[in-house]
Amino acid sequence: MHSKDLKKPDGRNITLYSNRPIPEGITAPSPFAEPQHANPHLRWHPLRGEWVTYAAFRQNRTYQPPPQYNPLAPISDPEHPTEMPAGDYEIAVFDNRFPSLALESHDPPSVTVPTAPANGHCEVVVFTQTPEAALASLPLSRIELLLYTWGDRTERIGSHPNIHYVLPFENRGAEVGVTLHHPHGQIYSYPFVPAVPARMLAQEREYFLQHGTSLLCDMARDEAADGKRVLYQDEHAIAFVPACARYPYEVWVMPTAPCKDFAALSGPQRAGLARALKTVLLKFETLWNRPFPYLMAWYQAPTDGAEHPETQLHAQFYPPYRTKDRLKYLAGTELAAGMFAMDVLPETTAYELQQVEVSLDENREAR
């Protein structure tokens, strides 16, 4: 794996990643000449016991531009710079121009609830230089490189004393609010462990104290033994629709052996995880023979230096459709009470996905 750090004209950082050496002479462009001086802040929600971040300048961020003004395509005209340099590399990670969290945040306003600087970090991860591609269409070597990239970013950003949790994710499709359709994801690095992973970590910790084993590894073992909801399994990785799925086509992907974060993945684990991930993505794409929207979130250990034997690296997919032509909208019980209501059994959707045959030997980037 190879990487190269560059600086954009507006002061933001960009790192290029590739499976092959990256040539010298690549320069980093930016659509913006001056720094953003982003200053988001946090406000405490007393009833929910959690922070909310505020970044009013994000209202003016780029929104669904036409293809000729794609800011994530490699620069081709110096008069109209994009975020991406031209050159031979495979993945790029750069500081978000419109961050919800910023390490240099300061002087939060005084209001009727407690406030704090939003001292986190937001990055954009561009999976490919090809606008028409999708994560599902990328070769396994690229997906392995992406897993490595997420690990490198976790180590780099997670080493900052203000960062306590690093969350890579991808929103795909207009149905989940995507504003730029070039294949990309994001990494949010938080100054605290956010509410959702904090709750999962608490459950994992309690289980580990009682049983001495990983909750998620034991769940994966039981799913493998049952077999009804398994979509992919090899010696190192597994993908399945969990028996407790809250979304009709929800899927979890993880290593089968304990592994707390991306940086802890062995080479064989990374290869197995790439195959599991690509299998799920191709099944989604093939299910209805059209681009399949989803939110993919990767959960891992906090970046606090502790061992965290209770914690298991894993992805959760939340697709917004409940049938081919019907979206799942969150209802009153889900938004107001936090209790999800399912209209379809996980076994039913798992069977649908199991029947979708896919090949992992395709090495194409364009759709």
Side-chain angles (χ1 to χ4, degrees), residues 4 13 17 22 24 47 51 54 76 205 218 229 231 266 275 287 305 329 332 344:
K4 183 181 292 291
N13 299 302
Y17 292 88
I22 300 171
E24 298 296 328
L47 281 176
W51 289 106
Y54 294 83
S76 59
R205 190 176 303 114
D218 286 357
R229 291 169 295 275
L231 305 182
S266 67
R275 296 181 69 85
L287 179 64
Y329 294 101
V344 60

Side-chain angles (χ1 to χ4, degrees), residues 52-353:
V52 182
T53 186
Y54 294 83
F57 57 87
R58 281 173 52 82
Q59 286 281 47
N60 298 319
R61 67 188 185 274
T62 308
Y63 182 80
Q64 296 189 352
Q68 64 269 31
Y69 297 113
N70 175 10
L72 301 185
I75 183 173
S76 59
D77 180 1
E79 296 297 317
H80 299 91
T82 66
E83 294 282 13
M84 297 279 285
D88 184 10
Y89 62 91
E90 297 182 77
I91 291 173
V93 181
F94 62 85
D95 295 343
N96 196 324
R97 172 73 182 186
F98 304 96
S100 296
L101 305 162
L103 288 169
E104 61 275 12
S105 297
H106 59 89
D107 300 318
S110 177
V111 295
T112 56
V113 296
T115 64
N119 291 137
H121 191 60
C122 296
E123 296 181 310
V124 178
V125 183
V126 182
F127 304 149
T128 171
Q129 296 187 33
T130 307
E132 300 81 12
L135 185 54
S137 71
L138 300 183
L140 286 168
S141 61
R142 179 70 57 84
I143 297 176
E144 285 191 56
L145 178 64
L146 179 59
L147 296 172
Y148 170 84
T149 299
W150 282 332
D152 186 58
R153 304 318 298 175
T154 297
E155 287 193 308
R156 290 202 201 191
I157 306 303
S159 65
H160 193 285
N162 281 352
I163 299 302
H164 291 233
Y165 198 83
V166 179
L167 178 76
F169 63 91
E170 181 196 8
N171 294 324
R172 189 186 183 220
E175 295 89 340
V176 295
V178 171
T179 58
L180 296 172
H181 294 290
H182 190 116
H184 75 286
Q186 299 184 63
I187 301 174
Y188 270 38
S189 300
Y190 303 87
F192 50 83
V193 180
V196 170
R199 185 172 183 180
M200 291 193 294
L201 284 163
Q203 294 297 113
E204 289 179 292
R205 190 176 303 114
E206 168 124 8
Y207 185 92
F208 185 82
L209 291 174
Q210 290 182 6
H211 302 276
T213 55
S214 161
L215 170 59
L216 280 166
C217 287
D218 286 357
M219 288 183 68
R221 178 203 61 206
D222 293 343
E223 290 290 351
D226 181 81
K228 293 188 182 71
R229 291 169 295 275
V230 175
L231 305 182
Y232 176 90
Q233 184 181 5
D234 66 18
E235 182 183 356
H236 300 289
I238 187 170
F240 57 90
V241 177
C244 54
R246 300 181 305 158
Y247 288 80
Y249 293 93
E250 181 174 337
V251 174
W252 295 4
V253 182
M254 70 181 76
T256 51
C259 179
K260 70 172 186 174
D261 58 24
F262 286 108
L265 286 169
S266 67
Q269 282 181 313
R270 192 180 299 116
L273 205 56
R275 296 181 69 85
L277 179 56
K278 179 159 177 142
T279 297
V280 171
L281 293 167
L282 286 174
K283 282 179 176 289
F284 280 159
E285 294 291 279
T286 310
L287 179 64
W288 297 321
N289 292 312
R290 71 185 194 208
F292 194 90
Y294 55 77
L295 164 62
M296 173 183 66
W298 283 89
Y299 297 100
Q300 55 184 335
T303 55
D304 57 5
E307 289 298 318
H308 289 289
E310 79 281 5
T311 306
Q312 180 71 352
L313 169 70
H314 74 289
Q316 296 188 16
F317 279 89
Y318 304 126
Y321 279 98
R322 58 188 179 94
T323 68
K324 183 177 181 179
D325 54 4
R326 295 181 183 179
L327 288 166
K328 174 179 172 57
Y329 294 101
L330 295 188
T333 182
E334 293 156 332
L335 280 175
M339 181 178 177
F340 275 63
M342 283 283 281
D343 300 327
V344 60
L345 293 175
E347 294 76 32
T348 301
T349 51
Y351 180 77
E352 285 184 62
L353 291 168

